[in-house]
Amino acid sequence: MSERLRRGLYRFRRSWVSVLGLGIVCLLLLIAILGPAIVPHPEHVAGLVQTGTRFQPPSAAWWFGTNEVGQDVFSLTLAGTRVSLLAGMAVVIVGAVIGVFVGAIAGFFGGWLDEGLMRLSDLMLTVPSLILAMAVAAALGPGTGNMIFAIALSWWPGYARLVRGEVMAKKEEQFVTAARAMGAGSGRLLRRHVLPNIVSPVIVKMSLDMGFAILTVASLGFVGIGVKPPTPEWGSLLSVARANMPDYWWTAIFPGLAIFLAVFGFNLLGDGLRDLLDPKARR
Amino acid sequence: MLEVEGVSKIYGGERRGFFGRAPQVHALSDVSLSVRRGESFGLVGESGSGKTTLTRCLLRLEEVSAGTIRFDGDDIGRLSAAGLRALRARVGIVFQDPYASLNPRMSIADIVCEPMEIHRARLGLDGRGRRDRAAELLERVGLGPQHLGRFPHEFSGGQRQRIGIARALATGPDFLILDEPTSALDVSVQAQVLNLLHDLQAQLGLTYFFISHDLGVIRYVCDRVALIYRGRLVEVGATEAVFQNPASDYARSLIAAMPDPDPDRSPFGPRFPG
């Protein structure tokens, strides 16, 4: 086991973009964990208004400049990491859990159950996630929890399709037949024999999806139905800042860059993990 | 102990689209044989002759299309859920491919303990008892307790097949289905595994249902043998009788095609003249 791990680490280290991705993701996670403790102006994050220093350009004192109410953009962007990352992660995890559950049942049992579940997931795929999220926000009211629920609702079909295919391939393996011949029931076959052998592609898809999930969370923040101000979040920071363009460009460019960096980092990491865990799937 | 009577298995024939039906394949037609307690019964046939289909029917991984299979007098087609569980504890199976038949994500301890976990009500072993029995089984097949924590990819083909045998013996079965247990192994390792199987049979009083396409292996292991060709039995009898006086043309052509280990009679002629 350790031999395989070492070899895997070696292969991962040989591709510098994967290592860069891992570095960016680790940095973002660190910022998300430390969050408010390391920002230079926590009082701005909490909502303090200082109109005297509004629209200061980036300088030594204000690294990313200040916004229309004199808050430090650097502090806001840093503090926004936690919300954006957590929301993105929650979307991916909830989507993966639902998708694995549905896909495993559909792929393992087949027949009309498979047909029914897959047609349902096709139906969910046809609904654009942004529109669905807006509908959910309209029905249940805006808010972080509802937003995560809404995005996850349109997120799981991708996992269901992936897992269904993998389960259908794995359940024909001889060790599954062997367990069946020993008298193992369906639950045991799925839990002990099929699912542990399809973890790799799911993990790869989760890391590749993280960037896109963060982007979707930011989009919803941008259109105003995600995280509510004053909680700083990259999408809503951008949304407020678009009124300041192009003269006070720094209020928009830095939250935007943060989104770019997160999407970029998670995609590089996902690519690296795919080469490591699931080399077949490489394009 | 095992009686197979007039068993047929037909695949296909289900509806396709609005009009068509899938073509039918007769995997087994009217197969009858019986295996006596304590003997080794060989089933010989080429690829696609229905050997594996018959084993799948014996374990009720497939339903037969016609006929009955009786194990110790019970029709396995009519077993209750509990009866089927008991059957699967009493019948072990060793598969052909030792690389595909062990779950790569499970440790050897988990692999060997799993049948005991499934049948824990029958065996009455707790976690510790199962692990002790797994260690004992590994020793019996020529491995040791130090291998319990390892994973399948750390073993060679022959060792994996030994693990497969230990797993098949875990529930204390009295009937073992051996589905070409040596055909994926090197010749030298084949002999070791065959000798192991032979010893286990003597020690545990097992009945073997041995499937192979290798006549030499069958002749070495089996008391009685059946030849299957395209889903039909063409010959059944005591091994030596079949080999000495084959009754059917198919048996004669098979036996004539057996490789002869004598280099002087090699069809390639003498390699080193003079």
Side-chain angles (χ1 to χ4, degrees):
Chain A
M1 206 65 200
S2 66
E3 170 70 24
R4 254 197 327 188
L5 203 70
R6 257 208 313 279
R7 218 174 272 173
L9 276 178
Y10 172 72
R11 262 196 298 161
F12 188 82
R13 271 210 312 271
R14 290 221 325 180
S15 110
W16 65 270
V17 282
S18 312
V19 177
L20 179 68
L22 184 68
I24 293 172
V25 168
C26 285
L27 179 73
L28 288 173
L29 286 177
L30 201 70
I31 292 171
I33 291 164
L34 298 176
I38 54 164
V39 298
H41 296 281
E43 69 279 7
H44 292 182
V45 176
L48 181 80
V49 174
Q50 272 183 318
T51 40
T53 55
R54 68 200 290 257
F55 291 136
Q56 297 288 315
S59 65
W62 314 100
W63 288 7
F64 289 1
T66 61
N67 67 2
E68 69 283 348
V69 288
Q71 292 169 338
D72 179 26
V73 177
F74 182 63
S75 300
L76 292 179
T77 308
L78 237 53
T81 310
R82 177 182 284 186
V83 178
S84 289
L85 235 56
L86 265 185
M89 222 175 261
V91 164
V92 169
I93 290 172
V94 173
V97 167
I98 302 175
V100 167
F101 186 74
V102 171
I105 287 177
F108 191 78
F109 294 103
W112 60 266
L113 201 59
D114 180 23
E115 280 296 321
L117 289 173
M118 284 299 113
R119 291 302 80 78
L120 180 70
S121 74
D122 286 349
L123 191 72
M124 297 306 295
L125 274 179
T126 60
V127 183
S129 63
L130 220 58
I131 309 286
L132 184 74
M134 284 171 162
V136 168
L140 303 176
T144 315
N146 288 344
M147 175 195 67
I148 291 170
F149 170 71
I151 306 175
L153 210 59
S154 58
W155 212 273
W156 65 266
Y159 288 91
R161 295 168 74 107
L162 171 79
V163 169
R164 172 179 175 264
E166 295 284 334
V167 165
M168 283 173 80
K170 281 287 177 248
K171 77 170 181 177
E172 300 303 330
E173 295 258 356
Q174 210 173 35
F175 59 81
V176 179
T177 308
R180 206 190 283 272
M182 292 184 298
S186 303
R188 170 181 285 271
L189 290 176
L190 257 178
R191 266 200 333 274
R192 297 286 307 267
H193 295 280
V194 176
L195 290 181
N197 283 291
I198 62 161
V199 168
S200 305
V202 172
I203 287 182
V204 170
K205 186 170 166 60
M206 282 174 81
S207 63
L208 282 173
D209 273 6
M210 263 300 285
F212 197 48
I214 290 171
L215 198 62
T216 309
V217 169
S219 321
L220 286 181
F222 187 79
V223 296
I225 48 169
V227 181
K228 302 287 281 184
T231 311
E233 191 269 336
W234 295 337
S236 43
L237 289 177
L238 258 184
S239 167
V240 176
R242 81 175 180 249
N244 308 329
M245 291 289 277
D247 299 333
Y248 311 113
W249 51 269
W250 55 87
T251 52
I253 208 95
F254 290 109
L257 270 178
I259 296 172
F260 163 76
L261 197 70
V263 175
F264 187 64
F266 275 104
N267 269 311
L268 289 186
L269 177 68
D271 267 347
L273 282 180
R274 188 187 53 205
D275 291 351
L276 196 71
L277 298 173
D278 197 15
K280 289 195 305 273
R282 201 171 174 174
R283 277 161 297 185
Chain B
M1 181 169 205
L2 177 79
E3 279 152 60
V4 177
E5 265 179 40
V7 164
S8 299
K9 173 71 191 173
I10 300 166
Y11 285 108
E14 65 268 10
R15 288 177 154 281
R16 274 218 189 131
F18 283 112
F19 306 109
R21 280 180 183 278
Q24 291 195 337
V25 177
H26 291 255
L28 294 172
S29 350
D30 199 21
V31 171
S32 298
L33 52 87
S34 65
V35 181
R36 300 181 200 126
R37 186 176 294 277
E39 78 172 343
S40 294
F41 188 91
L43 184 65
V44 187
E46 55 194 73
S47 308
S49 60
K51 295 172 302 205
T52 301
T53 305
L54 184 57
T55 56
R56 290 181 67 89
C57 291
L58 292 183
L59 286 161
R60 224 179 129 193
L61 295 170
E62 307 269 0
E63 300 292 333
V64 297
S65 307
T68 52
I69 299 175
R70 270 196 287 275
F71 185 77
D72 253 6
D74 299 325
D75 182 350
I76 67 161
R78 294 206 195 140
L79 285 178
S80 59
L84 190 61
R85 280 178 92 79
L87 173 79
R88 285 176 173 168
R90 289 191 56 194
V91 178
I93 179 162
V94 178
F95 288 90
Q96 174 178 10
D97 185 348
Y99 292 89
S101 59
L102 303 178
N103 186 342
R105 299 267 166 175
M106 280 165 78
S107 70
I108 304 309
D110 288 341
I111 289 172
V112 179
C113 287
E114 183 168 39
M116 298 186 253
E117 246 170 71
I118 295 169
H119 299 285
R120 60 181 172 275
R122 187 187 161 88
L123 296 168
L125 287 172
D126 58 356
R128 192 177 179 84
R130 289 197 287 266
R131 214 179 153 84
D132 289 346
R133 181 165 163 75
E136 183 194 311
L137 284 164
L138 283 185
E139 262 166 33
R140 211 177 248 286
V141 298
L143 297 166
Q146 72 275 17
H147 295 117
L148 280 173
R150 304 244 189 113
F151 284 83
H153 68 91
E154 298 175 56
F155 293 91
S156 68
Q159 287 175 317
R160 284 176 193 222
Q161 203 55 302
R162 288 169 191 269
I163 294 163
I165 294 169
R167 174 176 64 180
L169 293 174
T171 51
D174 37 18
F175 190 89
L176 222 53
I177 297 173
L178 303 158
D179 188 354
E180 308 206 29
T182 59
S183 61
L185 305 176
D186 289 344
V187 177
S188 58
V189 180
Q190 269 187 27
Q192 291 169 11
V193 171
L194 288 176
N195 286 334
L196 170 68
L197 288 170
H198 191 265
D199 295 344
L200 287 172
Q201 186 173 32
Q203 288 164 12
L204 303 172
L206 299 167
T207 307
Y208 282 168
F209 188 74
F210 196 104
I211 295 165
S212 185
H213 55 242
D214 186 336
L215 289 170
V217 169
I218 289 282
R219 194 173 191 173
Y220 178 71
V221 175
C222 298
D223 307 314
R224 291 196 308 137
V225 64
L227 259 61
I228 189 168
Y229 179 66
R230 294 197 176 175
R232 287 177 195 281
L233 283 195
V234 291
E235 186 145 349
V236 187
T239 309
E240 273 317 299
V242 170
F243 275 83
Q244 301 295 340
N245 296 307
S248 60
D249 292 341
Y250 181 62
R252 268 194 290 278
S253 62
L254 269 186
I255 289 162
M258 266 179 82
D260 195 317
D262 184 349
D264 288 342
R265 291 160 67 183
S266 162
F268 299 105
R271 289 278 173 87
F272 308 103

